[in-house]
Amino acid sequence: MVADWYDGLTLATEWRPAAEGVAARYRLMLTNDTGEALRDFRLGISGPARVSDDAEIVGAKVVTQLSNFCELAPERGFVLAPGARWTIDVLKLDYPIRHWTDGATTGFLVLADGTTRSLRTVPTRREGSDTLRKKGTAIYEVPEHPPVPVSIVPWPQDVAVSGRRTAPAGLAPIPSAIGKSAATAFGKLTEKLFPGEGLVRPAHEGGFPVELVAGAGGKEGYAIEFAADRARIIGETETGLLYGLITLGQILRGARIHLRQFNFPTSGRIEDAPAMAWRGSHLDVARRYYAKDEVERFIAILAWNKLNVLHWHLSDDESWRVEIDAYPQLTGKGAWRGYGMPVPPLLGSGPERTGGYYSKADIHAIVGFATEVGVDVVPEIDMPGHCYAMLQAIPALRDPGENAPYYSIQSFPNNCLNPGVEATYGVVEAIIDEMVELFPSRYFHVGADEVPEDAWHSSPAANKLRKELGVTGAAPLQARFLQRLQAYLTSKGKLTGAWEEASHGGGLDRANCYLVGWKDTAISQKLAAEGYDVVVAPAQAYYLDMANSEDWHECGAAWAGWSSPEKSYGFEPIAGWSAVERGHLLGIQACIWSEPMTDRAVFDRLVFPRLSAIAETGWSSNRDFNRFKALVGLMPNLYGRYEGF
Ligand code: TNX
């Protein structure tokens, strides 16, 4: 029996960027301090960086590889003596490493009997660099003299308040014919986000009376009238009143925490309504699993930012996360990763079985909470591409005649549902049947991104369909697949959502869909001009997996560039759009892809405060980074990790 080697074995990785006359090099170093000689083993790694298929590798050979999982073997008879180090040089990766989160974040040994041993894995260093790794939300100090007297994010349409009183101990909402649900939702929201702060209190505990009354306001607008001994919120809907309470709660927290800098007013008025109808955030729970409580807290944060859509990315190549009764193997196999399993360790998951999925009861609770706080949960099942996990769970959906591989951009082989395999439609429809029961949203997002151009090239079933339709390539087949899905969703009363690529090869019925433009804003504008309703989510500014700056010490990805909070904040999503194009704008959203989120503190650094920057763009007609910077430090993050803590 082999001892637990965790303490004695260390994997370190080092990146040397390409320079004049020097090739890029990714070096893996395994050091043996176990006191025993190691033989007959292989090294498994997982983390965002991908060893290229045609990479020259010095010191090892690749035994198996799938996307960013790679198993490397030393030469036959190799012995790693006590105190010795095994060095492997990989001379080509699919893309260069630009930040410390890019390299292997998990390493493990595979022994001759097939068992595995975890080992300590040190985050990647760049050659010659120090070990500083930035994590945690950047700290935004409240200035001595903030440019505005009250703390509110996103900034309202019109603020005309005056007077000043000591921040009350809490708020005591008083519903009338309207406002019961808003008051309850506000209580749950503040309890989740700021437990122990007592933001809601009865009058006898010093709660400040807040009357909730019916009046104008539209779907999400509200007004607040201040008096010395009470405030009144006027709204037309429960959501409007909730947003009024959120504004008051933010004012209260600011005045309480920074009593010199911010006021709790005693007179005047705030008038508010959103600029855009769709103010969303996408969350990828497929690359990384987020527990039910984390998702609910994230939803609470959305509401606190007056964001109203969660685009919930529930499946991808790396996993499947929704319980489906008709196909228990989807979660039985697809929700888990591990060595020797249908889905191997990926993106830093280890050799042991890890993952998770949302049971129907979980989804019911999550969607119920979201609805209460004004957040519409739009589910996404990503199809026909990004389906490796689903196809591993239900291999019968592959065409048995397909005999050659094609690869996705993330290097997954044959990862697309096959439009020529008729059984696919029955399975997908059964999944939709169950999911429409779980998600009351008008929208159902079907993915449609990144199908490789040569998808299904060797599939007889796909080629038969190509012949029938008189088409070539992948796009028309994908369009045909999506059109069938859309017809089914329409019959269920749903509008079909998809990424921009759903417009390729024939497109969708524009009256019953919306598309998310992600490559740049020009594409969103073009889709709007073609008559598609669009949500604008350009990767250059709204992809929160992109690092905050070019600095190596920052965490995150870089394929679409870098975006500081200031850049995300100042970004104009619909500059130059015509009135007709604007007529097709639903709104904007952040996208949170989870490949780099190996550490919760990385999530906090990447997502905050950029999420609030995007929220303010969706809500306010009056933006000012200086004001935003002074206020955003009061906004919550997901895990409570701040830079330097
Ligand atoms: C592209 S954006 C993807 C995702 C990745 C993301 C990483 C889109 C629709 N597809 O699969 O996670 O880039 O930034």
Side-chain angles (χ1 to χ4, degrees), residues 287 386 410 449-450 499 518 543 545-546 559 593 595:
R287 271 53 178 270
H386 287 278
Q410 288 91 1
D449 58 316
E450 297 185 323
W499 300 104
W518 62 275
Y543 267 31
D545 52 325
M546 296 305 135
W559 70 261
W593 297 102
E595 291 94 329

Side-chain angles (χ1 to χ4, degrees), residues 11 44 51 59-60 110 122 249 292 317 319 349 351 361-362 437 442 608:
L11 176 69
V51 174
V110 182
V122 185
K292 171 175 167 273
D317 293 309
S319 70
S349 63
D362 289 342
E437 297 295 317
R442 296 168 69 205
F608 307 99

Side-chain angles (χ1 to χ4, degrees), residues 135-168:
K135 315 193 226 187
T137 301
I139 294 181
Y140 282 72
E141 301 276 3
V142 174
E144 197 45 48
H145 302 286
V148 287
V150 283
S151 59
I152 310 165
V153 176
W155 191 250
Q157 211 168 61
D158 189 41
V159 179
V161 293
S162 50
R164 168 178 208 130
R165 54 152 289 162
T166 314

Side-chain angles (χ1 to χ4, degrees), residues 40 43 45 62 158 177 362 379 464 483 516 519 619 621 642:
D40 288 336
L43 173 68
I45 53 167
V62 172
D158 189 41
D362 289 342
K464 182 161 166 276
Q483 286 156 5
V516 185
K519 288 191 182 149
W619 184 278
S621 344
Y642 289 90

